[in-house]
PDB file of all heavy atoms in Angstrom:
ATOM      1  N   THR A 653       7.131  46.644 -64.466  1.00  0.00           N
ATOM      2  CA  THR A 653       6.291  47.659 -63.859  1.00  0.00           C
ATOM      3  C   THR A 653       6.471  47.759 -62.356  1.00  0.00           C
ATOM      4  O   THR A 653       6.144  48.793 -61.760  1.00  0.00           O
ATOM      5  CB  THR A 653       4.798  47.386 -64.154  1.00  0.00           C
ATOM      6  OG1 THR A 653       4.434  46.120 -63.566  1.00  0.00           O
ATOM      7  CG2 THR A 653       4.529  47.362 -65.635  1.00  0.00           C
ATOM      8  N   VAL A 654       6.992  46.699 -61.716  1.00  0.00           N
ATOM      9  CA  VAL A 654       7.167  46.739 -60.273  1.00  0.00           C
ATOM     10  C   VAL A 654       8.602  47.013 -59.874  1.00  0.00           C
ATOM     11  O   VAL A 654       8.910  47.102 -58.697  1.00  0.00           O
ATOM     12  CB  VAL A 654       6.703  45.420 -59.616  1.00  0.00           C
ATOM     13  CG1 VAL A 654       5.245  45.181 -59.896  1.00  0.00           C
ATOM     14  CG2 VAL A 654       7.546  44.238 -60.078  1.00  0.00           C
ATOM     15  N   VAL A 655       9.491  47.188 -60.832  1.00  0.00           N
ATOM     16  CA  VAL A 655      10.872  47.502 -60.526  1.00  0.00           C
ATOM     17  C   VAL A 655      11.012  49.007 -60.341  1.00  0.00           C
ATOM     18  O   VAL A 655      10.500  49.779 -61.149  1.00  0.00           O
ATOM     19  CB  VAL A 655      11.800  47.029 -61.656  1.00  0.00           C
ATOM     20  CG1 VAL A 655      13.234  47.442 -61.370  1.00  0.00           C
ATOM     21  CG2 VAL A 655      11.722  45.512 -61.788  1.00  0.00           C
ATOM     22  N   PRO A 656      11.684  49.458 -59.291  1.00  0.00           N
ATOM     23  CA  PRO A 656      11.840  50.896 -59.087  1.00  0.00           C
ATOM     24  C   PRO A 656      12.501  51.557 -60.281  1.00  0.00           C
ATOM     25  O   PRO A 656      13.264  50.936 -61.018  1.00  0.00           O
ATOM     26  CB  PRO A 656      12.735  50.969 -57.839  1.00  0.00           C
ATOM     27  CG  PRO A 656      12.553  49.653 -57.144  1.00  0.00           C
ATOM     28  CD  PRO A 656      12.291  48.661 -58.231  1.00  0.00           C
ATOM     29  N   THR A 657      12.237  52.838 -60.448  1.00  0.00           N
ATOM     30  CA  THR A 657      12.777  53.549 -61.600  1.00  0.00           C
ATOM     31  C   THR A 657      14.286  53.578 -61.584  1.00  0.00           C
ATOM     32  O   THR A 657      14.917  53.752 -62.621  1.00  0.00           O
ATOM     33  CB  THR A 657      12.255  54.986 -61.633  1.00  0.00           C
ATOM     34  OG1 THR A 657      12.576  55.632 -60.383  1.00  0.00           O
ATOM     35  CG2 THR A 657      10.750  55.014 -61.820  1.00  0.00           C
ATOM     36  N   THR A 658      14.912  53.365 -60.418  1.00  0.00           N
ATOM     37  CA  THR A 658      16.367  53.385 -60.351  1.00  0.00           C
ATOM     38  C   THR A 658      16.980  52.187 -61.023  1.00  0.00           C
ATOM     39  O   THR A 658      18.192  52.111 -61.174  1.00  0.00           O
ATOM     40  CB  THR A 658      16.826  53.410 -58.889  1.00  0.00           C
ATOM     41  OG1 THR A 658      16.250  52.292 -58.198  1.00  0.00           O
ATOM     42  CG2 THR A 658      16.426  54.701 -58.221  1.00  0.00           C
ATOM     43  N   THR A 659      16.165  51.199 -61.432  1.00  0.00           N
ATOM     44  CA  THR A 659      16.733  50.020 -62.057  1.00  0.00           C
ATOM     45  C   THR A 659      16.976  50.200 -63.541  1.00  0.00           C
ATOM     46  O   THR A 659      17.513  49.318 -64.192  1.00  0.00           O
ATOM     47  CB  THR A 659      15.801  48.802 -61.881  1.00  0.00           C
ATOM     48  OG1 THR A 659      14.603  49.022 -62.609  1.00  0.00           O
ATOM     49  CG2 THR A 659      15.490  48.557 -60.424  1.00  0.00           C
ATOM     50  N   VAL A 660      16.551  51.305 -64.114  1.00  0.00           N
ATOM     51  CA  VAL A 660      16.775  51.515 -65.537  1.00  0.00           C
ATOM     52  C   VAL A 660      18.262  51.680 -65.799  1.00  0.00           C
ATOM     53  O   VAL A 660      18.951  52.422 -65.115  1.00  0.00           O
ATOM     54  CB  VAL A 660      16.009  52.752 -66.024  1.00  0.00           C
ATOM     55  CG1 VAL A 660      16.296  53.021 -67.485  1.00  0.00           C
ATOM     56  CG2 VAL A 660      14.514  52.563 -65.804  1.00  0.00           C
ATOM     57  N   ALA A 661      18.777  50.953 -66.793  1.00  0.00           N
ATOM     58  CA  ALA A 661      20.204  51.002 -67.076  1.00  0.00           C
ATOM     59  C   ALA A 661      20.605  52.396 -67.511  1.00  0.00           C
ATOM     60  O   ALA A 661      19.902  53.057 -68.276  1.00  0.00           O
ATOM     61  CB  ALA A 661      20.552  49.999 -68.172  1.00  0.00           C
ATOM     62  N   THR A 662      21.762  52.828 -67.027  1.00  0.00           N
ATOM     63  CA  THR A 662      22.308  54.105 -67.454  1.00  0.00           C
ATOM     64  C   THR A 662      23.692  53.880 -67.985  1.00  0.00           C
ATOM     65  O   THR A 662      24.464  53.112 -67.418  1.00  0.00           O
ATOM     66  CB  THR A 662      22.366  55.091 -66.278  1.00  0.00           C
ATOM     67  OG1 THR A 662      23.140  54.522 -65.229  1.00  0.00           O
ATOM     68  CG2 THR A 662      20.971  55.414 -65.758  1.00  0.00           C
ATOM     69  N   ALA A 663      24.027  54.547 -69.069  1.00  0.00           N
ATOM     70  CA  ALA A 663      25.323  54.323 -69.690  1.00  0.00           C
ATOM     71  C   ALA A 663      26.412  54.942 -68.831  1.00  0.00           C
ATOM     72  O   ALA A 663      26.342  56.095 -68.441  1.00  0.00           O
ATOM     73  CB  ALA A 663      25.350  54.942 -71.088  1.00  0.00           C
ATOM     74  N   ALA A 664      27.448  54.151 -68.553  1.00  0.00           N
ATOM     75  CA  ALA A 664      28.612  54.667 -67.861  1.00  0.00           C
ATOM     76  C   ALA A 664      29.620  55.119 -68.893  1.00  0.00           C
ATOM     77  O   ALA A 664      29.444  54.932 -70.092  1.00  0.00           O
ATOM     78  CB  ALA A 664      29.214  53.574 -66.967  1.00  0.00           C
ATOM     79  N   THR A 665      30.702  55.703 -68.401  1.00  0.00           N
ATOM     80  CA  THR A 665      31.673  56.232 -69.348  1.00  0.00           C
ATOM     81  C   THR A 665      32.299  55.129 -70.184  1.00  0.00           C
ATOM     82  O   THR A 665      32.648  55.351 -71.334  1.00  0.00           O
ATOM     83  CB  THR A 665      32.770  56.987 -68.591  1.00  0.00           C
ATOM     84  OG1 THR A 665      33.349  56.121 -67.603  1.00  0.00           O
ATOM     85  CG2 THR A 665      32.188  58.212 -67.901  1.00  0.00           C
ATOM     86  N   ASP A 666      32.422  53.906 -69.612  1.00  0.00           N
ATOM     87  CA  ASP A 666      32.988  52.819 -70.399  1.00  0.00           C
ATOM     88  C   ASP A 666      31.918  51.983 -71.076  1.00  0.00           C
ATOM     89  O   ASP A 666      32.190  51.000 -71.724  1.00  0.00           O
ATOM     90  CB  ASP A 666      33.887  51.920 -69.541  1.00  0.00           C
ATOM     91  CG  ASP A 666      33.143  51.259 -68.390  1.00  0.00           C
ATOM     92  OD1 ASP A 666      31.918  51.485 -68.271  1.00  0.00           O
ATOM     93  OD2 ASP A 666      33.785  50.518 -67.626  1.00  0.00           O
ATOM     94  N   GLN A 667      30.662  52.353 -70.898  1.00  0.00           N
ATOM     95  CA  GLN A 667      29.509  51.709 -71.529  1.00  0.00           C
ATOM     96  C   GLN A 667      29.439  50.217 -71.224  1.00  0.00           C
ATOM     97  O   GLN A 667      28.945  49.432 -72.009  1.00  0.00           O
ATOM     98  CB  GLN A 667      29.518  51.910 -73.053  1.00  0.00           C
ATOM     99  CG  GLN A 667      29.319  53.354 -73.459  1.00  0.00           C
ATOM    100  CD  GLN A 667      29.005  53.507 -74.926  1.00  0.00           C
ATOM    101  OE1 GLN A 667      29.008  52.551 -75.685  1.00  0.00           O
ATOM    102  NE2 GLN A 667      28.730  54.706 -75.335  1.00  0.00           N
ATOM    103  N   THR A 668      29.908  49.810 -70.055  1.00  0.00           N
ATOM    104  CA  THR A 668      29.788  48.411 -69.663  1.00  0.00           C
ATOM    105  C   THR A 668      29.064  48.253 -68.348  1.00  0.00           C
ATOM    106  O   THR A 668      28.759  47.148 -67.953  1.00  0.00           O
ATOM    107  CB  THR A 668      31.177  47.759 -69.530  1.00  0.00           C
ATOM    108  OG1 THR A 668      31.920  48.442 -68.516  1.00  0.00           O
ATOM    109  CG2 THR A 668      31.922  47.790 -70.832  1.00  0.00           C
ATOM    110  N   GLU A 669      28.749  49.338 -67.663  1.00  0.00           N
ATOM    111  CA  GLU A 669      28.206  49.256 -66.312  1.00  0.00           C
ATOM    112  C   GLU A 669      26.796  49.803 -66.271  1.00  0.00           C
ATOM    113  O   GLU A 669      26.501  50.863 -66.812  1.00  0.00           O
ATOM    114  CB  GLU A 669      29.100  50.042 -65.355  1.00  0.00           C
ATOM    115  CG  GLU A 669      28.626  50.016 -63.914  1.00  0.00           C
ATOM    116  CD  GLU A 669      29.507  50.865 -63.037  1.00  0.00           C
ATOM    117  OE1 GLU A 669      30.609  51.223 -63.479  1.00  0.00           O
ATOM    118  OE2 GLU A 669      29.090  51.178 -61.913  1.00  0.00           O
ATOM    119  N   ALA A 670      25.905  49.074 -65.606  1.00  0.00           N
ATOM    120  CA  ALA A 670      24.534  49.522 -65.443  1.00  0.00           C
ATOM    121  C   ALA A 670      24.332  50.041 -64.034  1.00  0.00           C
ATOM    122  O   ALA A 670      25.121  49.785 -63.130  1.00  0.00           O
ATOM    123  CB  ALA A 670      23.561  48.375 -65.711  1.00  0.00           C
ATOM    124  N   ALA A 671      23.235  50.770 -63.841  1.00  0.00           N
ATOM    125  CA  ALA A 671      22.902  51.257 -62.511  1.00  0.00           C
ATOM    126  C   ALA A 671      22.534  50.090 -61.608  1.00  0.00           C
ATOM    127  O   ALA A 671      22.073  49.058 -62.072  1.00  0.00           O
ATOM    128  CB  ALA A 671      21.718  52.228 -62.611  1.00  0.00           C
ATOM    129  N   PRO A 672      22.729  50.216 -60.271  1.00  0.00           N
ATOM    130  CA  PRO A 672      22.320  49.154 -59.350  1.00  0.00           C
ATOM    131  C   PRO A 672      20.856  48.810 -59.555  1.00  0.00           C
ATOM    132  O   PRO A 672      20.012  49.679 -59.712  1.00  0.00           O
ATOM    133  CB  PRO A 672      22.574  49.780 -57.976  1.00  0.00           C
ATOM    134  CG  PRO A 672      23.637  50.808 -58.215  1.00  0.00           C
ATOM    135  CD  PRO A 672      23.353  51.353 -59.580  1.00  0.00           C
ATOM    136  N   SER A 673      20.548  47.506 -59.564  1.00  0.00           N
ATOM    137  CA  SER A 673      19.209  47.065 -59.901  1.00  0.00           C
ATOM    138  C   SER A 673      18.775  45.946 -58.964  1.00  0.00           C
ATOM    139  O   SER A 673      19.295  44.842 -59.044  1.00  0.00           O
ATOM    140  CB  SER A 673      19.158  46.555 -61.344  1.00  0.00           C
ATOM    141  OG  SER A 673      19.634  47.525 -62.244  1.00  0.00           O
ATOM    142  N   ARG A 674      17.868  46.273 -58.047  1.00  0.00           N
ATOM    143  CA  ARG A 674      17.308  45.289 -57.128  1.00  0.00           C
ATOM    144  C   ARG A 674      18.405  44.473 -56.457  1.00  0.00           C
ATOM    145  O   ARG A 674      18.285  43.277 -56.282  1.00  0.00           O
ATOM    146  CB  ARG A 674      16.323  44.377 -57.858  1.00  0.00           C
ATOM    147  CG  ARG A 674      15.101  45.094 -58.407  1.00  0.00           C
ATOM    148  CD  ARG A 674      14.143  44.155 -59.104  1.00  0.00           C
ATOM    149  NE  ARG A 674      13.464  43.281 -58.136  1.00  0.00           N
ATOM    150  CZ  ARG A 674      12.616  42.330 -58.501  1.00  0.00           C
ATOM    151  NH1 ARG A 674      12.367  42.102 -59.777  1.00  0.00           N
ATOM    152  NH2 ARG A 674      12.024  41.583 -57.594  1.00  0.00           N
ATOM    153  N   GLY A 675      19.507  45.139 -56.095  1.00  0.00           N
ATOM    154  CA  GLY A 675      20.530  44.467 -55.320  1.00  0.00           C
ATOM    155  C   GLY A 675      21.723  43.981 -56.104  1.00  0.00           C
ATOM    156  O   GLY A 675      22.689  43.504 -55.503  1.00  0.00           O
ATOM    157  N   TRP A 676      21.688  44.091 -57.439  1.00  0.00           N
ATOM    158  CA  TRP A 676      22.881  43.695 -58.169  1.00  0.00           C
ATOM    159  C   TRP A 676      23.619  44.930 -58.691  1.00  0.00           C
ATOM    160  O   TRP A 676      23.105  46.034 -58.651  1.00  0.00           O
ATOM    161  CB  TRP A 676      22.584  42.680 -59.257  1.00  0.00           C
ATOM    162  CG  TRP A 676      21.893  43.097 -60.524  1.00  0.00           C
ATOM    163  CD1 TRP A 676      22.490  43.469 -61.677  1.00  0.00           C
ATOM    164  CD2 TRP A 676      20.488  43.096 -60.803  1.00  0.00           C
ATOM    165  NE1 TRP A 676      21.553  43.709 -62.667  1.00  0.00           N
ATOM    166  CE2 TRP A 676      20.320  43.482 -62.159  1.00  0.00           C
ATOM    167  CE3 TRP A 676      19.349  42.807 -60.055  1.00  0.00           C
ATOM    168  CZ2 TRP A 676      19.064  43.592 -62.763  1.00  0.00           C
ATOM    169  CZ3 TRP A 676      18.103  42.915 -60.652  1.00  0.00           C
ATOM    170  CH2 TRP A 676      17.972  43.303 -61.994  1.00  0.00           C
ATOM    171  N   ASN A 677      24.860  44.711 -59.121  1.00  0.00           N
ATOM    172  CA  ASN A 677      25.781  45.805 -59.436  1.00  0.00           C
ATOM    173  C   ASN A 677      26.015  46.696 -58.213  1.00  0.00           C
ATOM    174  O   ASN A 677      26.132  47.916 -58.321  1.00  0.00           O
ATOM    175  CB  ASN A 677      25.291  46.642 -60.621  1.00  0.00           C
ATOM    176  CG  ASN A 677      25.659  45.996 -61.949  1.00  0.00           C
ATOM    177  OD1 ASN A 677      26.433  45.050 -61.999  1.00  0.00           O
ATOM    178  ND2 ASN A 677      25.089  46.511 -63.021  1.00  0.00           N
ATOM    179  N   ASP A 678      26.106  46.053 -57.051  1.00  0.00           N
ATOM    180  CA  ASP A 678      26.442  46.730 -55.806  1.00  0.00           C
ATOM    181  C   ASP A 678      27.932  46.503 -55.548  1.00  0.00           C
ATOM    182  O   ASP A 678      28.339  45.429 -55.106  1.00  0.00           O
ATOM    183  CB  ASP A 678      25.601  46.164 -54.661  1.00  0.00           C
ATOM    184  CG  ASP A 678      25.964  46.767 -53.311  1.00  0.00           C
ATOM    185  OD1 ASP A 678      26.821  47.678 -53.273  1.00  0.00           O
ATOM    186  OD2 ASP A 678      25.402  46.309 -52.297  1.00  0.00           O
TER     187      ASP A 678
END
């Protein structure tokens, strides 16, 4: 509930990459 909405995983074209989340996947 305290994680920004941008942390929700989104499917990439290769289906292995998530959206940046609280500083990871940068």
Side-chain angles (χ1 to χ4, degrees):
T653 62
V654 300
V655 176
T657 56
T658 56
T659 66
V660 177
T662 57
T665 55
D666 61 1
Q667 294 193 356
T668 61
E669 180 183 345
S673 305
R674 296 181 71 183
W676 74 93
N677 278 349
D678 176 4

